[in-house]
């Protein structure tokens, strides 16, 4: 949490994945990577929004792998909001049922089409807050990270983790591209910047520059 922006982290259990709700004193909010799979998880998210009188303005996806978009149909149905993400990842939306089967479970919900394509340098606003989008492919072709300068934090999806980086062996992945993007877009941020990843605990840019084994 910063002086102006509140960050609520949910850890949903199917994979598990981190879902973030960002809000400020205006009551406007965005959700990053809706990973709600089970009915009780969807209810938990809905309760948090209503209990805090939050108005959801954007559904942002760091990328479109299945674990990061499970909750998109629910949010579209409940709030009428289409997800926003990278056009380069759009092909994943048609392959989610197949991908789920490859992980050993059934998923038949129809994903809503993207309502807006996120592009390099886009500014996403809600209330008095804003996020800047950086395109960092390599884990997936349409991976984006969302940076909030005022709150000194970045939401890194599956690009950068505590002590690790995203896998690059899925369709459209590229290990060298991923490392280059992290160096160019993330490691150029102030060292005190908090990193909120798609899985696992948070970290900081300074810590990862010094300790991440992929950059030694």
């Amino acid at each position: 949490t910063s002086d102006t922006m509140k960050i609520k982290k949910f850890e949903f259990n199917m994979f598990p994945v981190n879902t973030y709700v960002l809000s400020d004193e205006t009551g406007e909010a965005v959700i990053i990577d809706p990973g709600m799979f089970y009915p009780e998880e969807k209810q938990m998210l809905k309760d948090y929004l209503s209990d805090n009188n939050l108005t959801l303005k954007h559904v942002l996806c760091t990328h479109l792998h299945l674990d990061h978009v499970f909750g998109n149909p629910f949010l579209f149905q409940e709030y009428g909001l289409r997800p926003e993400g990278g056009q380069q990842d759009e092909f994943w939306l048609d392959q989610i049922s197949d991908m789920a089967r490859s992980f050993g479970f059934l998923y038949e919900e129809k994903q809503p089409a993207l309502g807006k394509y996120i592009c390099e340098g886009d500014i996403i606003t809600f209330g008095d807050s804003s996020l800047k989008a950086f395109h960092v492919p390599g884990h997936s072709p349409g991976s984006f990270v969302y940076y909030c300068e005022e709150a000194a934090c970045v939401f890194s999806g599956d690009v950068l983790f505590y002590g690790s980086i995203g896998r690059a062996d899925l369709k459209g992945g590229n290990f060298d591209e991923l490392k280059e993007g992290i160096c160019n877009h993330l490691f150029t941020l102030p060292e005190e910047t908090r990193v909120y990843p798609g899985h696992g605990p948070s970290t900081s840019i300074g810590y990862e520059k010094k300790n991440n084994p992929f950059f030694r």
Side-chain angles (χ1 to χ4, degrees):
T1 305
S2 74
D3 294 340
T4 56
M5 194 170 77
K6 184 177 182 186
I7 300 166
K8 170 67 174 175
K9 173 184 166 181
F10 293 91
E11 191 171 3
F12 294 124
N13 288 321
M14 180 48 124
F15 266 79
V17 64
N18 295 334
T19 292
Y20 300 96
V21 179
L22 283 45
S23 58
D24 66 17
E25 67 279 357
T26 67
E28 293 192 352
V30 301
I31 184 169
I32 297 177
D33 286 349
M36 310 88 72
F37 182 82
Y38 299 107
E40 58 271 23
E41 294 177 339
K42 296 171 185 175
Q43 189 62 47
M44 190 189 309
L45 192 281
K46 188 178 174 181
D47 289 347
Y48 176 77
L49 293 174
S50 64
D51 290 350
N52 291 278
N53 297 310
L54 298 179
T55 304
L56 200 55
K57 304 299 283 187
H58 299 277
V59 177
L60 301 176
C61 300
T62 59
H63 63 298
L64 300 181
H65 287 160
L66 78 170
D67 48 331
H68 294 257
V69 302
F70 281 143
N72 284 351
F74 172 76
L75 294 174
F76 181 54
Q77 173 192 324
E78 286 288 323
Y79 303 102
L81 289 174
R82 289 188 179 276
E84 302 170 32
Q87 185 176 10
Q88 306 91 331
D89 265 13
E90 207 168 23
F91 70 94
W92 281 116
L93 294 179
D94 296 326
Q95 299 181 18
I96 283 180
S97 295
D98 294 339
M99 199 177 185
R101 272 193 292 277
S102 75
F103 282 105
F105 66 98
L106 285 177
Y107 180 82
E108 302 297 347
E109 270 191 286
K110 182 166 170 48
Q111 283 285 324
L114 293 179
K116 180 177 182 294
Y117 294 135
I118 299 290
C119 300
E120 170 69 28
D122 278 0
I123 306 292
I124 299 110
T125 59
F126 61 102
D128 296 328
S129 304
S130 64
L131 298 167
K132 188 170 187 178
F134 297 121
H135 184 213
V136 188
H139 173 66
S140 75
S143 277
F144 281 83
V145 302
Y146 299 106
Y147 173 53
C148 182
E149 186 177 4
E150 298 80 16
C153 64
V154 63
F155 298 86
S156 63
D158 289 2
V159 168
L160 181 65
F161 300 117
Y162 171 67
S164 190
I165 65 174
R167 60 189 290 186
D169 60 335
L170 296 171
K171 191 171 180 180
N174 184 306
F175 183 72
D176 294 332
E177 195 175 37
L178 178 60
K179 286 183 64 177
E180 184 183 344
I182 292 169
C183 290
N184 292 341
H185 280 312
L186 288 166
F187 285 175
T188 52
L189 298 175
E191 298 214 341
E192 65 274 13
T193 305
R194 289 307 300 170
V195 179
Y196 294 104
H199 306 273
S202 66
T203 181
S204 71
I205 292 295
Y207 180 87
E208 296 309 319
K209 282 168 78 170
K210 290 185 192 73
N211 299 292
N212 193 300
F214 288 94
F215 298 95
R216 283 189 178 157

